[in-house]
Amino acid sequence: MILFWFRRDLRLEDNHGLFAALTQARLSGTSVLPVFIFDENILQALPRQDARVSFIHQRLEHLQSQFSEMGGGLHVEIGKPKEVWQRLLNQYPVQQIFCNEDYEPYAIKRDAQVRELAMSKGVEFKALKDQVIFAKNEIVKDNGEPYRVFTAYAKRWKSALTADAFTGFPSANRIAKFSRPVGGQMPTLGDLGFSPSPLPIPSKVVKKTIFTNYHEARNSMGSDSTSHLGLHLRFGSISIRKLAATVQPLSEVFLSELIWREFFMQILFHFPHSVDQPFDPRYSAIEWRNKQDEFDRWCAGQTGIPIVDAGMRELNTTGFMHNRARMIVGSFLTKHLLIDWRWGERYFAEKLLDFDLSANVGNWQWVAGCGCDAAPYFRVFNPILQAKKFDGQGTYVNKWVPERATLSYHEPMVDLEFGRRRALATFQAALKSK
């Protein structure tokens, strides 16, 4: 029997690892049992009404239905991965384990433990590339070193594309049989200790005009002009190959966003210290103010700066925040309030439906000025000017901060020019100390 381990690839279609498992099963005359593990190491840190857990559960129910129609089923477990795999290897006559690669530090450590366990029992563990077009050391400098600047990385990424770069894997075409799992039913959300989330899940079906107009409309904060596909990319309910092939002829700018996603993935893969430390170690000496009451006001959207409050309220209400707003609120927190970027990164990690560790860390370090960027700390967004430029009619702010023109609205919690000067002085002092 071959076991396929679902992780960030919750779909039957164009699934590289699943296709490889099915192909091997056909060649060896055996069957494939799909497996998913609700990782307690991850679940224990989440709020009990987490929309992402609800989404994963919905996707698993959909996969279960698909596998049932083909005479098989999905084996779902709750626990710590190594302990679960110990049970699975004792429960089933496993010959091989297939999965798709994951490049985050925790995932790399987890997979190494499971691989070692499998090998100790004579079981082969095979991981394949699926969630990216290029991974690991496929896009590097001529000397083999990883890129640290996006522009050079993107240029090499595009030059490396071949005619078959977006070719998918016909895993939805059944080429081997699926096994039925031994045991009971799939656990409910209640079994996991969670309750359903009221947040709506964005569709993975996107109008063509979103892509064709993306270069002009993506920064228009008052219009719904972004794809909302982050959640589906994060958990693999859509194929990156299919999406990239779709957008390449339609929008160079949107394709660039997909390259940014892979750039941040390779940054975290090659520089794992950046998960919670500045990519540029010179910025480790920044003396953050870290005022808890100011952070709480920022979280609640009560800063007295309308465009900042609008972004935070959108996040708290919907689990989404407009891309431009993410830069504005991040700059305000790290520069005007001098609050550690890690505080903001953790808050986004809790709230964002489309949270992806590498992009979250990469973008927060970018806006804080301590990441991989050619124009670091002296970039300080002026939220007033940003609102005029990208929400000129006030549509976005009026939606989320309807009281802004009334006496009940908060006074600004910091003078913007004072905050900018304080931030520049603090960053300069940190650099001089190194």
Side-chain angles (χ1 to χ4, degrees):
M1 176 183 288
I2 293 175
L3 269 57
F4 175 73
W5 185 7
F6 277 105
R7 290 103 69 88
R8 294 182 55 146
D9 48 7
L10 302 181
R11 67 186 185 281
L12 187 58
E13 306 79 12
D14 188 19
N15 186 315
H16 190 182
L18 180 59
F19 177 74
L22 289 167
T23 300
Q24 184 59 37
R26 181 186 61 183
L27 293 174
S28 58
T30 186
S31 59
V32 173
L33 176 64
V35 172
F36 182 85
I37 300 171
F38 280 104
D39 189 340
E40 289 182 341
N41 294 322
I42 297 173
L43 294 181
Q44 63 188 6
L46 300 177
R48 295 297 92 183
Q49 201 177 46
D50 193 288
R52 295 159 298 189
V53 176
S54 294
F55 174 73
I56 292 171
H57 196 269
Q58 291 171 15
R59 290 300 304 171
L60 294 179
E61 289 182 324
H62 177 66
L63 287 170
Q64 182 73 281
S65 175
Q66 289 181 299
F67 289 128
S68 294
E69 291 177 0
M70 293 182 283
L74 178 64
H75 186 117
V76 180
E77 289 266 2
I78 308 170
K80 295 178 171 57
K82 185 178 180 181
E83 295 173 2
V84 171
W85 276 107
Q86 182 72 60
R87 296 197 299 269
L88 291 172
L89 292 174
N90 290 332
Q91 187 174 7
Y92 295 105
V94 183
Q95 299 165 322
Q96 293 173 300
I97 299 169
F98 281 80
C99 63
N100 288 309
E101 292 174 337
D102 195 335
Y103 311 109
E104 295 180 359
Y106 168 75
I108 292 171
K109 180 180 179 180
R110 174 201 65 199
D111 288 358
Q113 292 176 341
V114 175
R115 185 189 300 273
E116 182 180 5
L117 172 64
M119 290 177 60
S120 71
K121 295 181 177 295
V123 175
E124 184 180 16
F125 183 96
K126 299 191 69 173
L128 297 102
K129 179 182 70 174
D130 181 73
Q131 62 171 304
V132 291
I133 304 300
F134 297 112
K136 295 182 176 178
N137 296 309
E138 292 184 305
I139 304 296
V140 292
K141 300 177 183 178
D142 290 338
N143 62 3
E145 293 182 357
Y147 283 101
R148 297 166 178 255
V149 177
F150 173 75
T151 304
Y153 174 85
K155 182 177 180 181
R156 177 60 67 91
W157 192 100
K158 292 176 182 177
S159 69
L161 283 177
T162 60
D164 61 350
F166 301 150
T167 301
F169 301 89
S171 50
N173 299 332
R174 187 178 176 188
I175 55 178
K177 66 178 181 178
F178 289 103
S179 296
R180 288 189 178 278
V182 175
Q185 300 294 315
M186 187 172 75
T188 65
L189 273 177
D191 295 331
L192 297 169
F194 288 79
S195 57
S197 168
L199 295 185
I201 298 300
S203 172
K204 63 179 180 178
V205 178
V206 179
K207 295 179 180 179
K208 182 180 178 180
T209 53
I210 291 291
F211 302 130
T212 55
N213 298 334
Y214 191 75
H215 64 293
E216 295 179 343
R218 66 186 178 126
N219 280 315
S220 177
M221 301 178 71
S223 62
D224 189 12
S225 303
T226 55
S227 71
H228 296 271
L229 289 176
L231 172 71
H232 298 287
L233 282 171
R234 170 63 180 86
F235 294 110
S237 49
I238 59 174
S239 159
I240 183 60
R241 289 172 292 277
K242 183 177 180 181
L243 177 60
T246 298
V247 303
Q248 185 188 32
L250 301 177
S251 174
E252 183 178 349
V253 176
F254 194 95
L255 182 67
S256 180
E257 295 297 323
L258 298 182
I259 301 174
W260 267 107
R261 173 178 174 268
E262 298 197 0
F263 174 67
F264 281 139
M265 282 188 178
Q266 71 90 23
I267 286 291
L268 191 58
F269 175 77
H270 287 287
F271 305 97
H273 76 277
S274 65
V275 71
D276 57 8
Q277 298 298 320
F279 175 84
D280 187 336
R282 295 179 301 162
Y283 294 97
S284 60
I286 296 173
E287 292 189 13
W288 302 105
R289 294 174 61 251
N290 289 347
K291 300 292 185 180
Q292 183 65 53
D293 60 329
E294 295 183 3
F295 179 70
D296 291 342
R297 286 183 63 179
W298 176 84
C299 291
Q302 301 290 349
T303 68
I305 309 296
I307 196 71
V308 173
D309 292 345
M312 297 308 297
R313 294 182 194 186
E314 180 186 28
L315 173 64
N316 293 332
T317 304
T318 69
F320 175 81
M321 188 192 295
H322 190 280
N323 296 341
R324 174 58 54 172
R326 299 185 196 202
M327 290 187 277
I328 296 170
V329 304
S331 178
F332 183 79
L333 182 76
T334 58
K335 302 294 178 61
H336 287 100
L337 299 183
L338 272 178
I339 291 177
D340 195 326
W341 64 270
R342 285 163 286 210
W343 289 33
E345 192 275 331
R346 285 193 294 268
Y347 190 76
F348 271 31
E350 177 185 333
K351 294 291 184 177
L352 279 174
L353 275 174
D354 60 12
F355 165 71
D356 193 313
L357 179 64
S358 58
N360 203 43
V361 167
N363 281 313
W364 269 101
Q365 292 213 36
W366 181 90
V367 80
C370 59
C372 47
D373 183 42
Y377 73 90
F378 42 80
R379 180 200 297 111
V380 181
F381 286 102
N382 182 312
I384 304 301
L385 296 181
Q386 289 284 308
K388 289 180 179 178
K389 186 174 183 180
F390 300 112
D391 187 36
Q393 302 300 314
T395 306
Y396 183 74
V397 165
N398 289 336
K399 178 179 180 180
W400 297 108
V401 193
E403 80 279 18
R404 71 161 173 168
T406 69
L407 294 176
S408 64
Y409 187 52
H410 295 273
E411 290 293 321
M413 60 190 299
V414 64
D415 177 82
L416 294 178
E417 180 57 26
F418 167 78
R420 187 186 73 84
R421 292 197 304 267
R422 180 175 62 184
L424 293 177
T426 300
F427 275 68
Q428 290 166 356
L431 291 177
K432 289 178 181 178
S433 70
K434 286 294 183 179

